[in-house]
Amino acid sequence: MKLALGPLLYYWPRQATLAFYADMADAPVDIVYLGETVCSRRHELRLSDWLEVADILAAAGKEVVLSSQVLVESESDLKTLRRIVTNGHFRVEANDMGAVRLLTGGDAPVADWIAGPTLNIFNPATLGMFAELGASRWVAPPEMSRQQIAELRGGLGQPMEVEVFAHGRLPLAFSARCFTARHYNLQKDTCEFRCLQFADGIPLKTREGEPFLTLNGIQTQSAHVHTLLGDLPAVQADGLDILRISPQGEHTAEVIDLFRQALAGQLQPAEALRNARPLLPEAPCNGFWHGRPGVEQLVTA
Amino acid sequence: MTPPHPIELVCPAGSLPALKTAIDNGADCVYLGFKDATNARNFTGLNFDDKSMAEGVRYAHDRGRKVLLALNTYPQTDNWPSWTRAIDRAADCGIDALILADPGLMAYARKTHPRLRLHLSVQGSATSYDAINFYYERFGISRAVLPRVLSLAQVEHVIANTPVEIEVFGFGGLCVMVEGRCALSAYATGESPNCNGACSPGKHVRWEQTPKGMETRLNGILIDRFADGERAGYPTLCKGRFDVNGETYYAIEEPTSLNTLELLPELARVGVRAIKIEGRQRSPAYVTQVTKVWRAAIDRLQADTAPFRVEAAWMAELNKVSEGQSHTLGAYYRPWK
């Protein structure tokens, strides 16, 4: 089973981002997704910088994928998207139907691309269509359960790589509004790039102090950290191809190591989950995997 | 200036009485759904069975109006046949267009009912002309409903770059998140607009008077707490008050409604073909009031006899039925973002 490092969802200072990926070149992940998927105002790394990081990681033996932005609003967003799609070297994860059109339309459709988790692919008819259009891998929407994913794979006419969101705060929603700017009474257009101060986003709690969500610019995430570390025997039994680990402010490399050890059978599920706890910015959850509200943590027997 | 195409007024019909009052008060089209998870307003007591749908279609067609069917949730492997059956039932009913989000369903509808008109639902999250043109090229959609995220200039740019008719939301409950890209309700309750057709569903809601005030909870999660004298709103989870860095406020969005009445001449100028009124879950009285005001406004605009002016009485009527009794221009107004 392969491990993938998902795209960086937060906005870190340039040096911190470059240092993080330099570390990842040595980490036991097989695939690295790169690029800005959340907010077009985030410019610490521009596309040309991301392509340089991509070259370094590829030279270190990683499969590199360029992820496209989820919410595309302006012509300038589309221009960036066209540059990503026509990069000519790295495969592309399409996170919006505009990207799918650019990958599949025109005279020279791209033969091989990845259907990202925000395309809302929930059934074999839709996934089969995207497979025919050149998608060779499907990243399941995080809200899908183990059973739903298994049923979809069972109904699919052709073989296809399947990747699941296995670790990280859940990317739950996207908006035109920036909630980080709103917190500081700033407008999005003059946000002062406040996201740079929060390596793991800004925690949002209920009025009785329970951690609930995380504000990450225009994206809203869960407060709890979705992790399948305690569910890996089931994941392995299902024969899924790839597990996605979403970068977190600290300890991403240790989390990757835990996954490797657990997958190799060196750690029991409960032990892996217990060892992970000090590495997480908030308590774990795995409800979505079990077909439950995502916030729940279900202990596997 | 009169736009080249009249703007269609598309009104919500959560029930047969709502459908009839929408038609009687000047809706050009009504949109509705079946009584199940195939549509994004899957609430108890709402929506249509085959018999009431047939009656609704007859009522609308007798008066020269159209009926659009929302089948805008995403089916899973196990329930796929319910969705395709719903498409067949709708076609048999003589529906004028299907509002779909799922590409697989679009392919099915195109193949099985080639003459049936297809609209891309707001749940399809298509915010750029490239995204909209994907559905046009693959499935021949006639119209797309834009998520409530674009500014007016961006809407204009989309329209200039697609042959697909563009419909926008004009009034009603405001999703602050991109429609189709929100799993907040799934995270809290296990039910989402995408898969179950429901956001913050009623069966998970608890109202509780406590010494600290009226508390509203969603699956046990405290969404808001109201002091005596404060009007306690429904706990839609993005419209609660939360604590961020020690400050308690509407961290995501206030309980407010979208109202773009004053933008109507601009929407017409940029070439918007239809205005959608949100609210299939609202009462026939709401539908009556909102339809009446928007019909009057569109007629005034298209009469072209005097410069368009928003009547104070129109706004007063609309504010009466707005959530939180307040309204916003949403993303059309840049500082909102």
Side-chain angles (χ1 to χ4, degrees), chain B residues 21 23 29 53 94 103 124 141 163 168 185 206 220 236 247 255 257 279 281 288:
Chain B
T21 192
I23 299 283
C29 313
M53 191 167 298
I141 60 165
V168 300
S185 180
R206 214 168 73 221
T236 304
E247 194 188 329
S257 285
Q281 73 285 11
T288 305

Side-chain angles (χ1 to χ4, degrees), chain A residues 8 21 25 40 56 58 64 77 83 90 93 103 144 181 204-205 222 235 239 252 257 263 269 272 282-283 289 298:
Chain A
L8 172 62
Y21 284 108
S40 54
I56 293 167
V64 174
D77 294 346
R83 287 179 58 206
F90 299 108
E93 177 188 62
L103 286 161
M144 277 183 92
L204 176 151
K205 296 176 179 171
S222 61
V235 173
T252 306
D257 286 339
L263 286 171
E282 191 48 72
W289 176 252
L298 287 99

Side-chain angles (χ1 to χ4, degrees), chain A residues 66-198:
Chain A
L66 299 180
S67 294
S68 78
Q69 195 166 296
V70 174
L71 172 57
V72 175
E73 293 177 90
S74 66
E75 189 61 38
S76 134
D77 294 346
L78 285 174
K79 264 185 206 139
T80 307
L81 185 57
R82 287 188 192 108
R83 287 179 58 206
I84 291 171
V85 167
T86 57
N87 82 84
H89 193 46
F90 299 108
R91 285 204 291 173
V92 173
E93 177 188 62
N95 284 318
D96 140 274
M97 275 329 158
V100 176
R101 183 199 189 211
L102 294 173
L103 286 161
T104 60
D107 300 330
V110 176
D112 187 4
W113 52 279
I114 289 142
T118 48
L119 290 185
N120 283 333
I121 298 171
F122 288 103
N123 55 68
T126 299
L127 184 54
M129 180 193 322
F130 285 119
E132 280 170 26
L133 290 174
S136 54
R137 179 185 300 163
W138 167 58
V139 188
E143 66 177 294
M144 277 183 92
S145 69
R146 175 190 182 189
Q147 188 184 342
Q148 288 169 333
I149 292 168
E151 286 173 359
L152 196 163
R153 290 177 77 215
L156 201 60
Q158 59 269 71
M160 195 172 187
E161 278 189 316
V162 177
E163 175 171 333
V164 297
F165 190 92
H167 184 94
R169 283 181 153 155
L170 292 157
L172 293 173
F174 294 81
S175 174
R177 171 178 279 175
C178 176
F179 304 105
T180 302
R182 178 177 170 87
H183 177 65
Y184 289 102
N185 293 313
L186 295 168
Q187 289 175 17
K188 187 165 86 173
D189 289 344
T190 51
C191 68
E192 299 173 7
F193 305 105
R194 295 294 180 109
C195 286
L196 281 170
Q197 299 166 22
F198 302 95

